[in-house]
Amino acid sequence: MTAGARDRRPLVEELSEHDLGRARVRLEHVMEVETGFRSASRCWARSDEPRPAFNPATTSVGGRRRAKVTELGALSETEAARLGLESVSERTLKRMAARYREYGLVGLADGRWTRQAGGHPSVTAEVEEAIRAVHEQCLRRSRISMASRERLVHQYVREVFPGREVRVPHRTTLARVWREWFGPGGARQRYVRSAAAVPAPTGALVVASRPGQVVVLDSTPLPVKVLDDVFGTPITVHLTIALDAYTHSIVAFRLTPVAESSIEVAMLLRDVLSPLPMRPGWGEDMAWPYPGVPAALVADLAGGPVAGLPFFTPEAITVDHGAAFKNHHLVEVARTLGVDVLPARAMRPTDKAACERAFAAIQSLLLELVPGWRGIDVADRGADPEADAAWTVAEIEHLLASWIVAVWQNRRLDQHAPAWDPSGRHSPNTLFAAAAARDGISLEIPPPQLYYELLPVHFVKVDPRRGVKVGGLWYGARSPALDPCRGVPAPRGGQQTGKWAVRRDPRDCRQVFIELDGAWHTLPWNALPEGETVPAFGDARVGEVLKEAVRAGLRPRTDAELLPVLLDLLAAVTPVEAWPGRPDARKKAATRARELARARAALSDRPVEQPPLAPVRRAAPGREVADAVTADRARRRRAAAGDTPPVPARALRDDVRSRLLYPIARPRSDHDEHDGQDGRLTGDAGGGPAGREEKG
């Protein structure tokens, strides 16, 4: 316990009814000593006041104090103990009067009545060390019971403090201390480890006191199977909401068939700034209801009737560490809108508890009633939620918008109330109306051009013929708006010197946008046919197409990537060794010429009986080696065969004819007749049926 905690002044609200009554009795005694009247005023004097011993006209303050000490000393032991006035002296009465003048009624209370909790005296320093050591071990182990933790505490004390008389408290005391120090511990073990790895907060807490001061953004998979708007197949969509921390108003929401991206979050922030238009089927009860600002004025500024949903420019947003919220694009969007980003701590959902609670309320109040509900846990899932899906994405989006405006904004907030009316009945609409009446409403409706400013920017150069290349595709080849920029560098300096800023919506890659002379121009994709409608496609589809092109070897390559291919082609025709004028090549040619000259000189020096050498012809450097290998193989074959001449192989035609069922007829000749006279059959040597018939 720190000194500041010991010196803390108690409050009257901390006194129980019994202690409050004792303090009032003490006050009467002190006032009678100081003024002569128990009520401290002659105007409210009792029938027996002033008593002779306390009459201010005939006695002094010192005399009255001595009389009060005598009076209180005559009290019975039981009554004095009840009042806490067992032993009272003049000095005690002086101190009580001074404390009353400084602190009021609570100054007369005995310090034992409001004594702070003394902690757990049985938890000594050794036991505290053991408990914290066991807690560190439990973070790394699987989850165990409190009884096992108690045994680990005993083991730590026994092994770390041998020879000491360390008394470990009872299990109930250890459980109470564990809950006070480390929380109830109902989370899953992996979440406990993740939360423990995050350092404790060091900054000040943010307390929202007005609408728009803090807007919490979060996303979750919608626990309802819905049908897509094209093929009607059951799919899972993601719900992203923007919740005002002060009024708990769901000021904007988005449904995305895929995981949310930064462009969806950027458009969600734009929805927070923009009023929600009235939709078909909405009645007057869902129109703009807030007092102080006429609905006609808001409708005139917004361009149509406005629904009863707050809109404002947020001062700060709180996001988690998801990929859609933690990227350069969202930071640039926040800078454009003038919004501060307050990231929540990792693995700390309590930093945006209001948003998590809103998700739970949406599920319990609305989504559980919608066909296709698939539950929170797999074990609680129905037999076939996909077969129960009956709402399309557009229909569920309209249902959510209607429910938010009609139900959520008018629902009583039981556990959330403003500091100025903690016991009042309030809803998001009434809180926003009260804030509007107190501080006013800033009707800053963003212009339509804000859409282009929130898109991701790409800095590119303009090709005179093909336009601009963004995301692997070419745009604006036939666009006249791009003519002043073709082949002209942009008047931009710094890191993007000479490049033009082009905006692209990743959800629809059929066109990009460029700002020229204060106006936005659309640059269509070069492959779009003129006068025809092409289905929209996003950057994910473009990435798949480019990957298929790379897989098929159709990826465009730069000169640096094609350089090895060019070198292989040149090496096959003119290798480096054959380059004319190269010093190494000239040296090798001279060496080869000397070798050939010496060989001819050696041949001329041999005796005349040797056969003359064949004329020397210039051959390729590797040809002589090949001829030498061939000659060596022929010499080895002749040596293996010896002096016996080789027998020629049987002709292929003879081998084929010997296996034929019918002989091949050929014209007779004189040689054939001679062969017949020698007793040999005409026709084939194998002797077929024709030969046997002729012989017979």
Side-chain angles (χ1 to χ4, degrees):
M1 183 182 300
T2 62
R6 288 194 300 267
D7 296 339
R8 185 187 62 86
R9 182 172 60 88
L11 303 176
V12 177
E13 289 78 8
E14 299 180 21
L15 299 176
S16 62
E17 291 295 332
H18 176 66
D19 295 337
L20 186 60
R22 292 196 291 177
R24 288 171 179 167
V25 173
R26 285 187 170 193
L27 177 61
E28 292 180 356
H29 288 292
V30 171
M31 290 295 100
E32 189 174 18
V33 170
E34 297 296 324
T35 63
F37 302 92
R38 295 187 179 184
S39 60
S41 175
R42 188 183 301 272
C43 300
W44 293 285
R46 298 181 182 180
S47 57
D48 59 341
E49 291 182 343
R51 293 189 295 172
F54 300 97
N55 190 347
T58 58
T59 59
S60 63
V61 176
R64 292 194 293 269
R65 286 173 182 163
R66 288 188 293 270
K68 182 60 67 174
V69 170
T70 303
E71 179 184 357
L72 295 178
L75 294 176
S76 64
E77 184 178 352
T78 304
E79 186 177 1
R82 186 179 65 85
L83 296 176
L85 300 174
E86 297 89 349
S87 57
V88 177
S89 62
E90 295 184 33
R91 185 177 179 181
T92 303
L93 293 175
K94 291 180 181 179
R95 186 174 64 253
M96 292 174 63
R99 289 181 61 84
Y100 175 75
R101 286 191 294 268
E102 184 176 0
Y103 300 117
L105 180 61
V106 72
L108 300 177
D110 195 327
R112 294 170 293 181
W113 302 350
T114 57
R115 183 179 59 185
Q116 298 184 10
H120 302 278
S122 59
V123 180
T124 60
E126 294 83 0
V127 176
E128 179 180 357
E129 179 182 344
I131 293 175
R132 296 192 181 279
V134 172
H135 178 258
E136 289 294 330
Q137 286 296 319
C138 292
L139 290 178
R140 296 172 175 84
R141 295 187 180 186
S142 300
R143 187 173 182 178
I144 59 177
S145 62
M146 191 61 214
S148 300
R149 298 170 188 167
E150 179 194 11
R151 297 185 183 99
L152 292 178
V153 171
H154 280 278
Q155 178 187 359
Y156 186 91
V157 170
R158 181 178 180 181
E159 297 181 5
V160 178
F161 307 108
R164 298 188 190 180
E165 293 295 335
V166 180
R167 186 174 180 273
V168 179
H170 191 264
R171 182 186 307 171
T172 55
T173 303
L174 290 178
R176 189 180 304 110
V177 171
W178 193 283
R179 185 167 49 253
E180 291 177 2
W181 290 0
F182 312 117
R188 299 297 183 187
Q189 193 68 8
R190 58 179 178 179
Y191 300 145
V192 172
R193 284 194 296 268
S194 302
V198 179
T202 57
L205 296 178
V206 178
V207 180
S209 59
R210 55 188 178 274
Q213 184 177 0
V214 178
V215 176
V216 187
L217 307 182
D218 200 4
S219 177
T220 184
L222 194 71
V224 173
K225 285 289 185 178
V226 297
L227 305 176
D228 68 88
D229 297 327
V230 180
F231 301 102
T233 57
I235 60 174
T236 300
V237 298
H238 285 69
L239 172 63
T240 307
I241 67 173
L243 182 78
D244 179 44
Y246 177 74
T247 63
H248 281 224
S249 300
I250 302 179
V251 290
F253 77 95
R254 287 258 170 171
L255 284 178
T256 54
V258 295
E260 69 283 351
S261 59
S262 60
I263 185 64
E264 298 289 348
V265 179
M267 294 301 126
L268 182 72
L269 290 177
R270 188 175 72 108
D271 294 342
V272 175
L273 279 71
S274 306
L276 179 66
M278 291 287 289
R279 299 192 178 189
W282 288 3
E284 296 181 356
D285 56 334
M286 303 179 71
W288 178 266
Y290 304 108
V293 180
L297 176 61
V298 179
D300 184 42
L301 295 175
V306 177
L309 192 67
F311 65 94
F312 42 72
T313 301
E315 302 176 21
I317 59 175
T318 297
V319 297
D320 55 18
H321 297 267
F325 305 103
K326 190 179 180 181
N327 53 68
H328 297 285
H329 178 218
L330 185 61
V331 173
E332 181 64 21
V333 168
R335 186 198 62 79
T336 303
L337 299 177
V339 178
D340 297 331
V341 180
L342 304 176
R345 293 173 293 169
M347 301 302 297
R348 295 285 184 176
T350 53
D351 289 354
K352 43 188 180 61
C355 203
E356 301 291 348
R357 187 65 186 90
F359 281 136
I362 294 174
Q363 294 172 4
S364 61
L365 298 177
L366 175 66
L367 299 181
E368 289 183 0
L369 308 177
V370 178
W373 163 260
R374 57 187 180 90
I376 304 301
D377 197 341
V378 178
D380 300 331
R381 189 162 297 175
D384 192 1
E386 295 185 355
D388 299 337
W391 295 71
T392 63
V393 178
E395 292 173 345
I396 200 72
E397 193 273 340
H398 182 76
L399 174 65
L400 273 173
S402 304
W403 181 82
I404 289 173
V405 176
V407 178
W408 177 266
Q409 290 298 120
N410 298 284
R411 183 172 175 266
R412 178 186 175 185
L413 300 173
D414 293 333
Q415 300 178 358
H416 179 76
W420 45 269
D421 190 10
S423 60
R425 299 167 59 93
H426 297 278
S427 67
N429 274 348
T430 58
L431 287 178
F432 184 77
R438 181 191 62 189
D439 304 327
I441 300 178
S442 178
L443 296 178
E444 296 181 3
I445 300 178
Q449 291 76 14
L450 181 63
Y451 164 78
Y452 303 106
E453 298 179 7
L454 300 183
L455 296 179
V457 60
H458 301 264
F459 294 95
V460 297
K461 293 184 178 181
V462 179
D463 185 81
R465 184 174 57 89
R466 292 183 292 180
V468 296
K469 185 178 182 181
V470 180
L473 302 180
W474 288 91
Y475 298 88
R478 300 180 300 270
S479 177
L482 204 60
D483 293 342
C485 307
R486 300 184 188 275
V488 178
R492 188 186 308 277
Q495 186 177 0
Q496 308 296 340
T497 302
K499 296 183 179 180
W500 298 89
V502 178
R503 304 276 180 169
R504 180 179 71 105
D505 193 337
R507 301 167 298 178
D508 188 1
C509 297
R510 294 177 297 179
Q511 65 277 320
V512 295
F513 310 96
I514 186 173
E515 184 181 13
L516 299 174
D517 298 332
W520 289 92
H521 303 274
T522 302
L523 306 179
W525 180 35
N526 293 350
L528 287 179
E530 297 183 1
E532 298 183 13
T533 302
V534 176
F537 57 91
D539 55 350
R541 187 67 58 192
V542 174
E544 293 177 1
V545 173
L546 295 179
K547 287 181 181 179
E548 291 295 332
V550 172
R551 192 177 296 112
L554 301 177
R555 180 176 63 90
R557 301 181 183 180
T558 62
D559 294 341
E561 295 173 334
L562 293 176
L563 180 59
V565 180
L566 176 61
L567 295 180
D568 292 340
L569 296 177
L570 295 178
V573 179
T574 309
V576 177
E577 297 179 354
W579 284 2
R582 186 170 177 269
D584 293 343
R586 292 196 301 268
K587 182 177 180 181
K588 290 183 178 180
T591 304
R592 185 58 180 166
R594 285 195 299 268
E595 292 178 354
L596 293 177
R598 296 181 65 185
R600 286 193 296 267
L603 181 60
S604 62
D605 291 340
R606 291 176 186 177
V608 181
E609 291 80 13
Q610 296 293 336
L613 293 177
V616 179
R617 60 183 178 86
R618 301 183 63 180
R623 184 63 180 174
E624 293 183 356
V625 178
D627 294 343
V629 172
T630 303
D632 183 69
R633 289 176 179 174
R635 181 183 58 79
R636 291 183 180 181
R637 286 196 298 268
R638 288 194 300 269
D643 298 336
T644 305
V647 180
R650 190 177 184 183
L652 180 61
R653 56 193 177 96
D654 297 338
D655 185 67
V656 172
R657 288 177 179 177
S658 65
R659 295 194 303 269
L660 293 178
L661 181 61
Y662 299 100
I664 299 176
R666 57 190 179 91
R668 295 176 61 89
S669 62
D670 297 342
H671 180 71
D672 293 336
E673 293 177 357
H674 179 73
D675 291 342
Q677 294 176 0
D678 293 340
R680 290 179 293 184
L681 296 177
T682 60
D684 204 63
R692 288 193 296 270
E693 292 177 1
E694 185 178 354
K695 182 178 181 181

